[in-house]
Amino acid sequence: MAKKGVADYIRETQVWKSIFRHGPPTDARNRASVVAGNVFLHLHPIKLKRSGVQLGYTWCMGGLTFFIFLALTVTGLLLMFYYRPTAEYAYNDIIALKEHVPLGIMREIHRWGAHAMVITVWLHMFRVFMTGSYKPPREFNWGVGVVLLILTLLLSFTGYLLPWDQLAIWAIAVGSNMAKATPFMGHGGPGAALAQIGDFVMVSDKNDVRFQLLGGRFVGEPALLRFYILHCVFIPLVVGVLIAVHFWRVRKDGGISAPL
Amino acid sequence: MKEFINYMADPIRSFPLMTIMYILMMKYYRIIGTKKFAVGALAVLLPIVTWFCLDDNFRAIIMWPDNIPINIIIILIGWLTWYSLYRCAQNDERIERGECPIEATPENREKVWTWPNLVYTELMCMIGVVVFLVVWAIVFKAPLEEPANPTWAPNPAKAPWYFLGLQEMLVYFDPWMAGVVLPGIIVVGLMAIPYIDTNPKGNGYFTIKERPLAMWMFMYGWLVLWIYLIIVGTFLRGPNWTFYGPFEFWDFHKVVSEYNVNLSEFMWIKWLNMPMPQNIVVREILGIILTVIYVCVLPVLSAKSKWGQKIIANTGQIRYYIFIFLLLGMTSLPIKMVLRWLFSLKYIIALPEWELNL
Amino acid sequence: MAKKHEPGMAYDMNKLHKVFAFFSLVLLMSTVWVFLDDYIRPWKAVQIEAMKIEKQKIAEEIAAEEKVISKEKLEILEKQLKDANQNVSKRSKDLTELNGKLQVLLRDIKDETIVNGRLNGDVAALTFKWEGALSHGASYAPDLFKKLKKNKALFAISKDKMKTLKGKEKKIRRKISDIKSDVTKTEKEIASILGKRKLLQGAFDKKKITPIFAIRNAPFLDFLDPTVKIKQIVLPNITDDRYFQHVPKVDRCITCHTFIDQKGYEDQPNPHKTHPKLDLMVGATGKHPMKQFGCTSCHGGEGHRVTDFNSPAHTPASKEQAAEWAKKYNWHAPHKVPIVQFKQGMAEAGCVKCHEGVQYLPGATVLNEGRRNIEKFGCYACHKIEGWEHKRKPGPSLEKIASKVSKKFFKNWVWDPKAFNKHAKMPSFFNQMNNGKLEHQVKNIAEVNAITEFVYAQSEKYKPFMRYTGGNKARGKGLVKELGCMSCHGVADFPIESKKVDAFKGPFLTGIGSKIKSKDWMVSWLKKPSHYQEDTIMPSFRLSDREANDITAYLLSSKNEKFDKLNFEPMNEKARDEILVTYFSAFDTIEVAKKKLASMTSHERTMELGKRSVGKYGCYSCHSIKGFEGRAPIGPELTKVGSKPLTQFGFGHEYDVEHSRDGWITAHLQSPRRWDNGTDRPFKDLLRMPNFDMSEKDAKSITVALLGQVSDSVPLKGVKRLNKHEAVVAEGMKVAVKFNCIGCHQIDGMFGDLLNVYEDDVNEGPPRLVGQGHRVQADWFHYFLNNVYEIRPWLKVRMPSFNMTNEERNKLVALFQNKSEVNTFEEVHQVVAWERGEKRAAKKLFKQLDCVSCHAAEYTNDEPTAPNLKYARRRLRPSWIEKWLAAPDQILPGTTMPSFWMDGEAADPDILGGDAKKQIKALTKLLMEEGHNFYSPKHKKTRSK
Amino acid sequence: MSDESKKQLNRREFFSFITVGWVAFTSAVAGLCSLAFRFSYPNVTFDPEMDFIAGLPRDYEEGVDERWKNGFGVWMVKQEGKLVALSNICTHLGCVPNWLPAELKFKCPCHGSGYYMNGINFEGPAPRPLERYKITLTPTGKIKVDKTKIYRYEKGQWEHPDSFLSV
């Protein structure tokens, strides 16, 4: 092998070497440094138990959830090019995506991706339970996972309103009516009647949790804007942070679970 | 035949049926968790599903784009449940023989390189999921209905599919229970699992034998009370949230006889033949007493039982009471369902004056 | 688990690579698939097809143009061009020299331009500086001023120089063009001959599918500058209702309906067809240009959707079309779509939401017919429809019914009006598909008996003021035809004429002898209808006593013997009591109800049931009945029926009815009780909408009118706003429709049903009103409406005297005045100002044209066959007389009035210098001068007293 | 077959599969990225229209016609047998000059640039003449002005046949 190919030549350039600080990952040293030296890969350990690699054991659901989350972020950002969260434009913009925006299929990918993420989160949880992986030392991480599950559902739920069609507002109307029944905090819930001094009503349809959620007494334009902000900024940020915590703890709690 | 299936699909019948099937499944998981059984079940199920799909009404409901995730989840859960049982059965057999679970064999304990093993497989999973999403997006277009109209509600008005279990609960409970308390119990209960379940066994491998209580409870809540109710809410509830069999056309004018009576009305009028008391607490006294018994007395009593003593011995008092409280919360749903179907019972406690109905 | 792996490896890498390769390939394929899925759209194929069609059309046009181009002339011209070119080349030396001079000159001009520009700038700058300095009193201002002056002078010189240079340039250029003049001239001629062809050729080349075309429209590259693209019309003035907000409509229909606004594609199949009513709709010069009104504003549907054939909610007109579409385009019924398109032939429903406040729209044939039918069947009486509130009750008043018909007739009529008269407007309530059972019939009979007793008990006394003294049937028959009765009434003895007129305002005249119980009543009614019913629209024909008696004799001789023989079953008291108990027990127990019943006498019970039945069937909605004044109409409101959600229409068990709004309405109109089929409803809950025995055509036209009743609100900018004239006209038309003026008179080309009878000689029919507001003076018109007199002595048809209020008369006058957009009065000078010799000329003309041969009244003793000219002065407007004299045939085609000044030529070249205008004017003046100062002969009498 | 050659075969196989895999993967990812690229070019826009039909040539009289100035920003100038569509944007800093019929010039209010009727600048800071838009005849003989195509005097483009109409 005296002859040097172009590939070899490229590998010897300063540029290449400055980017990849290791040789081809075919031996132990390089395999270790490729994982440790890459910002994207280093959330993995360098080595892990064989069971942690097996699809039959992990079902890869956690990884897929994260990946779908990334895919949703990308498609979601692109959709923001064409979507305006106002009562005037929201519906027409969705029609635009359907009718004439090039590759408006982005919306389908986003919507089905959102459903897929709910499914993968559930199945991830199912697997974790079946393998008893929530047991010590991973109790806390299970708790983080439960919060992530709820946030995933909220992400999907807030996104459901954005097309601003009948399906959307009535699904949100049904959903938000439950908030109305929150004990003590919703005006239709038990105990709401107690929060009243004379004609000063502390929990009514214009100051209860549902009102806070919708920014009004009905699902209207303020709710659309609110849900849009929650959907695009607030919840994704929280989810992102919690995902980091979740991954960190997976590593710190001993990697992908396995029999003790 | 189709009429019989329609008839059986009504939650009144299908819910107990599901419960029985669930019990059978957990009891005979050793038989179910074999490849032979899987092949057999597939051989039986495939023609049945094909036959189901030949029906226009059935196809219409399952092919509705927003219902596709539920089809997917049904398939995945069916398969993964079997697969878990299969792994459990395998492990439990080994454990009975005194061997370690498969996951704990030295071979599987051996450490392997993340690069390329894990990274590569993850990449392929990602590619797979992208392909899946793209094809899904091409084949099924996202629904878009009429523009939002606050003055006219579509019939049925459904929440997103993952909340349809909760919406189904609304049939049996008031919104504050179905929409707030029960979901709250689910979330708290889920978070509490690691702290209640102190059984050290079954950590990191599939097994039922070594952690039967946890398995039986979780699987019931997950498969029957959550997934099954979502399926009912999606496929079997039509206009006016009326029950429609899988082969039934969603006729808007379908009328169902449904007249429910409160427990207090049963007590005062039917049993005691008395007028309803003016004092609302007195009126609902039976319901209140029963609820107090359910929430406060039952845990204490159960703690005295042999079963309770055993758990307390393992976990301690506090854990036990939290556990029993969550368990009661979970079982309140099937209890209320059965009461509704058997006695047309509306509310155990009916205090609309305080927006407090149970 | 015995597989051995490399240490530290979980998988066989070779296998993983294979799997990876497979996965990657699938990913690549799906990526390509996404692009193609996005790229392939049905409308692109349609546009390419359109291109081909257009290309072929242009090719045909080129061929046609080529035929027009004269080859010989072209050859000659080309030869000329050649010669001219040779001539030019002969003088090429001169040309070169001139061009050289021009170049030098251009250089100088450029040079001077620079100088000029600089000086210009300097002057401007210095001016500014100097003015500033001056106003601030700076000491250097005079210096600056000097400098400025100097620059200005220079600038003037430069300008002058420039002008000289430019002049020179012009001269040289003219010289050059002179040399070339023959060439340019011939070239221009050739170009003018070939110009059109060249343009067409260019257009033709654009329609070719070239590689460039393919690249421009290739997947992924089609963002650069595609030619195949979605075309849209944005309509800021017409909106889509998004409930929270209205948003401008966007119609993209023209993406596929490429030639909808272009002439010449009438024969193409859809979607390439031209709009069939291009001059009214879509066309750029019509009233509804596409750019302003779009498509879905009228047609409905989802105009912004172009994904496939289904997405705009195309709606097939028939089952056959639906099947065809399903086959061709994979069509399926629109689902969860806000607005579905109107079917073909129903698009006129779309007119309603913008054209408010008028009943009849010129051009909207089906809609007008539908609205006429709504009026005919009186739908508006039971169902509130906004905009129809002013209409009178369609049925006759029952307040004095006892004096008019017998109880027996009343009962039999109510039971089955069609048995008496197949043209009866009164619909059938009983013996229908949902109440034909014996148990229902017994109760229905009890109800009819009770209604009769109740209505008769409520009836006021009435005594005819005239006595019948016998008459001549044959004469009566003649009068019925001649007078114009048929503009409102069909007559059994004149079936052909009745059919032609299709009148509906009054009852069909058949079997009147079996209906009217008193001859005196009949003759009184004919003589003065308002004596019996004050607010009747039946006018008085100013009949003589003999005429009234003759007509009475004729009408009463018509009997329906079969109907006469019918006997109505008497009241079944048990059934009556049973019904009353169900009424009473609505909010009470049966026991209490029975007690209440027991406390009533038999008469009271009958009255109670009668009153309740009148309420139940809504008789009061169409007929005035004492005791029901001010009750709300019985039927549901139809103002917004076109937007009622489909789920709110009860289709019952009628599965063969098309599941659409129009399907339901049409089916309902034809058979309103059908929704009770297959149900078991109690007697009191049976559907009550009566059966009108409507033909499918009538039902469909009403459907169109009702479908237009939508809740969509069109912004003010988008709706048709009536201008001040149109608003008055619309208001006046309400009166004209109420009194059925339009039954006789054609108004500016519309209406005039009675004229159909006079097809052979329109002059025998009621006068056609063309520009009537311009024709007559407003004050005369108002007088005339109140004091009708004979104007046209030859007419047998008679203008009746209507029982109008003063307000109604005013509205009618205003209607015509505003329709013609003229002032209320046109000045008639008391003393006509004659020019010299004019009067004599006028008299000469009058004599020469022999006006009095027809307009004989008050001139000769002959029988006049034309209006009395003496009354023209107060009746007609001078400007109209002039217009009329100039061309009577143009105003009223087929009139007997001769055109003396055909095509502006003088009637007599010797009079007034043969100037037609002057002659007409003179004659008009004569008429004005000689006319009486009275509205009518009667007016003259009263005034002279 | 010797072990060595077997290994080589494997090696070749290995390389071919991994190459196919990575080539396909890379191109697919490139495809997906171009998906996002194409996504950002809308097919339909709601911008004001860039071309318009300006009636028949005979509708215009000699001189400057301002009827399209407000709607489309175009002066129609007919002079010496040529009809041109002149942009109303000053070439200096983009203000809108005024047409002064008395002085027969366009004068920009911002910095005083002046143009002759034919659009050529003669005073003020304007660096070059006003621009002409593409003007053509439709097959039906109407004038079509297309603002997407610009002709500039200083580039000699005013000789272009689409920059004027001979009338």
Side-chain angles (χ1 to χ4, degrees), chain B residues 225-287:
Chain B
L225 293 187
W226 189 247
I227 297 296
Y228 162 75
L229 285 188
I230 287 179
I231 293 170
V232 170
T234 315
F235 294 146
L236 304 180
R237 293 288 181 185
N240 309 320
W241 208 252
T242 307
F243 165 78
Y244 289 83
F247 302 120
E248 211 170 330
F249 174 71
W250 282 18
D251 186 342
F252 280 78
H253 306 293
K254 179 171 174 174
V255 182
V256 180
S257 143
E258 195 174 12
Y259 192 85
N260 299 321
V261 185
N262 292 328
L263 181 64
S264 50
E265 289 162 352
F266 268 116
M267 176 178 134
W268 294 105
I269 292 166
K270 293 259 177 197
W271 300 332
L272 300 178
N273 212 359
M274 278 164 68
M276 302 282 280
Q278 287 298 313
N279 186 319
I280 49 179
V281 178
V282 176
R283 186 185 72 199
E284 302 298 329
I285 194 73
L286 180 61

Side-chain angles (χ1 to χ4, degrees), chain A residues 50 53 88 92 99-100 103, chain C residues 9 38 41 242 306-307:
Chain A
R50 174 167 281 133
V53 182
E88 189 177 356
N92 275 16
E99 299 298 331
H100 59 75
L103 299 151
Chain C
M9 293 298 276
D38 187 69
R41 306 264 172 144
R242 294 286 181 254
V306 288
T307 308

Side-chain angles (χ1 to χ4, degrees), chain B residues 53 72 97 103 139 151 198 326:
Chain B
C53 288
I72 293 171
R97 272 184 295 178
E103 289 85 349
V139 176
T151 58
T198 51
L326 291 172

Side-chain angles (χ1 to χ4, degrees), chain C residues 587-601:
Chain C
F587 299 104
D588 247 327
T589 63
I590 290 185
E591 212 170 315
V592 175
K594 281 189 174 155
K595 228 182 242 168
K596 191 174 171 190
L597 187 73
S599 70
M600 296 164 88
T601 66

Side-chain angles (χ1 to χ4, degrees), chain C residues 867-885:
Chain C
N868 186 340
L869 289 181
K870 292 275 181 190
Y871 292 99
R873 173 187 168 133
R874 292 305 297 268
R875 176 172 158 246
L876 300 175
R877 294 174 186 237
S879 63
W880 183 83
I881 296 178
E882 285 170 25
K883 197 176 151 196
W884 168 253
L885 287 177

Side-chain angles (χ1 to χ4, degrees), chain D residues 23-99:
Chain D
V23 167
F25 180 73
T26 316
S27 38
V29 168
L32 290 174
C33 289
S34 60
L35 209 104
F37 174 81
R38 179 68 184 87
F39 180 78
S40 47
Y41 283 94
N43 282 338
V44 169
T45 58
F46 290 81
D47 299 337
E49 288 188 56
M50 287 302 278
D51 53 4
F52 62 100
I53 300 290
L56 295 165
R58 63 162 180 272
D59 295 347
Y60 296 92
E61 303 206 350
E62 197 77 13
V64 175
D65 188 291
E66 292 201 275
R67 73 180 85 168
W68 306 109
K69 187 190 161 193
N70 289 332
F72 296 93
V74 170
W75 280 303
M76 302 295 278
V77 180
K78 188 167 163 185
Q79 207 182 9
E80 292 165 3
K82 282 180 180 177
L83 184 66
V84 301
L86 217 51
S87 152
N88 77 340
I89 294 167
C90 177
T91 52
H92 178 226
L93 287 172
C95 293
V96 177
N98 296 313
W99 168 242

Side-chain angles (χ1 to χ4, degrees), chain C residues 94-108 168-169 172 175-176:
Chain C
D94 296 351
L95 265 180
T96 340
E97 199 191 315
L98 282 169
N99 272 327
K101 273 187 190 165
L102 186 62
Q103 290 308 321
V104 173
L105 208 56
L106 283 177
R107 182 203 64 198
D108 292 349
K168 276 185 188 165
E169 185 201 349
I172 294 175
K175 268 185 195 162
I176 294 175

